Amino acid sequence: MPGLLQDKVAIVTGASRGIGRAIAGEYAKEGARVVVASRTADSVEAAAAEICADGGEAIGIACDMGDREQIRAMVAQAADRLGGVDILVNNAQAFGTRAKPARANPPTPLEDMSEAEWDWVFDTGLKGTLFAMQECFPHMKKRGGGAIINFGSMRGTIATPYTAAYNATKEAIRALSRTAAMEWGEHAIRVNVINPVIATDAYRADVPTEEAQADFESTIPLRFMGQPMDAARVAVFLAGPDSRYLTAQTIYVDGGLVSIP
C-alpha cells in the first residue's frame, strides 16, 4: 500500500539529528524521496545512509542555513537530482554566534545581547527559513502545490527570559508563515508551523538533571516529555493529503503546555 507521501520530494533542514532526523526518517517510510540537509557533510551522509538502509530513499546535502548561496545551491541540487520539490521542513536553527556556534541556547540577559548573537540566530532561523521558502516556491508552483512546515517555539510564545534572539526569530517565523500562507494559497502551497516541546539535545542541555526534568514534566498536562517521533508524525500529517484544508496554523506539539495561562 502506497505511503501518505508516496513519490513526493521532501527537503528537511537540520535533519542529521533530533526532530529533523525523525521527520526525515518518517517521510521516507511514507514513500517520500528525502533530502537530509544540515551543516556537516559527514552527518548528513550518515543520516541518509541510515534511511536508505531502512528501505527508504534519501540523499544528504551539506548546507549552512546562515548562507543564502548555500541554501540556493542545496535546493537546486535537490530539485535536479530528485525531480522537483513538494515538501519543505525548516527545522534548522543555530545558537551562539557565527564565530562561536553553540548546540543549545546560551542564556543571555537582554541588556547584554550582542549584535553577533542576534544576527546569527536570525540568519539561521528567520532568514534561513525565508530563503529556503523562496528557493522552493517556483518548484512547488510548477508542480501545482506543496507543503511547507516551519518551526516555532514555546519560548517565543511565552517569552522565556534570557533567550530574546531565539524568542524573536521564532515568533517572526510564525508571522512569516502566516503571510506566506495568505500569498501562496492560490498556488495550493500550504504553510504551517509546529511549536514543539520535545526531548532534544537542546532541551537536555537546558534541563540537565533528572530532578529538573521531572519538575518540568510535572507542569505538562500529559505529565511526560514528548519525543522526536511525536513531532515527526505531526509533520507527516501536515505534509500529507489529510491536511489539504489546513494552512496558516500553529500546531502545538507540547502535551497541552500551551493551555497553561
Side-chain angles (χ1 to χ4, degrees):
M1 183 175 179
L4 291 171
L5 306 178
Q6 195 67 40
D7 298 324
K8 300 294 185 182
V9 177
I11 295 173
V12 185
T13 73
S16 63
R17 59 190 176 95
I19 294 173
R21 173 64 182 84
I23 291 172
E26 289 303 294
Y27 278 5
K29 289 177 183 177
E30 293 291 352
R33 303 191 299 278
V34 181
V35 175
V36 177
S38 192
R39 291 184 67 191
T40 307
D42 288 348
S43 65
V44 297
E45 290 168 5
E50 289 176 358
I51 291 170
C52 292
D54 286 339
E57 185 176 349
I59 61 172
I61 302 177
C63 179
D64 180 348
M65 293 301 290
D67 185 321
R68 182 166 193 167
E69 290 307 312
Q70 290 194 36
I71 295 170
R72 178 177 289 120
M74 179 270 290
V75 174
Q77 186 179 351
D80 181 61
R81 292 177 64 181
L82 299 181
V85 180
D86 301 290
I87 302 161
L88 170 65
V89 179
N90 279 306
N91 169 69
Q93 174 69 62
F95 306 108
T97 66
R98 182 177 289 275
K100 191 177 180 180
R103 294 194 73 174
N105 206 337
T108 305
L110 184 60
E111 63 271 21
D112 297 329
M113 177 66 62
S114 69
E115 186 173 3
E117 181 177 353
W118 187 270
D119 287 348
W120 182 236
V121 172
F122 266 74
D123 284 349
T124 58
L126 176 63
K127 291 173 71 174
T129 295
L130 169 64
F131 297 155
M133 291 168 64
Q134 289 176 325
E135 294 302 321
C136 288
F137 171 74
H139 299 287
M140 292 182 175
K141 181 180 177 181
K142 181 179 180 180
R143 289 164 78 88
I148 297 172
I149 297 120
N150 296 328
F151 270 77
S153 173
M154 282 295 299
R155 287 181 181 270
T157 305
I158 66 176
T160 303
Y162 309 119
T163 57
Y166 182 72
N167 300 352
T169 200
K170 288 302 184 181
E171 283 296 278
I173 285 170
R174 291 211 301 146
L176 169 66
S177 302
R178 294 193 301 272
T179 304
M182 296 302 102
E183 293 189 19
W184 294 353
E186 65 177 299
H187 305 296
I189 297 172
R190 300 181 296 104
V191 188
N192 292 292
V193 176
I194 292 176
N195 263 28
V197 176
I198 296 294
T200 62
D201 290 345
Y203 162 74
R204 284 182 281 270
D206 287 339
V207 190
T209 69
E210 291 185 6
E211 181 181 5
Q213 291 171 13
D215 286 344
F216 179 73
E217 290 184 21
S218 71
T219 69
I220 299 173
L222 287 180
R223 299 298 192 273
F224 70 92
M225 193 69 181
Q227 299 300 310
M229 188 62 68
D230 296 306
R233 291 311 303 177
V234 174
V236 168
F237 165 71
L238 290 175
D242 292 335
S243 62
R244 72 185 188 95
Y245 199 52
L246 193 68
T247 195
Q249 302 302 306
T250 297
I251 308 300
Y252 293 87
V253 186
D254 66 355
L257 192 61
V258 73
S259 66
I260 298 173

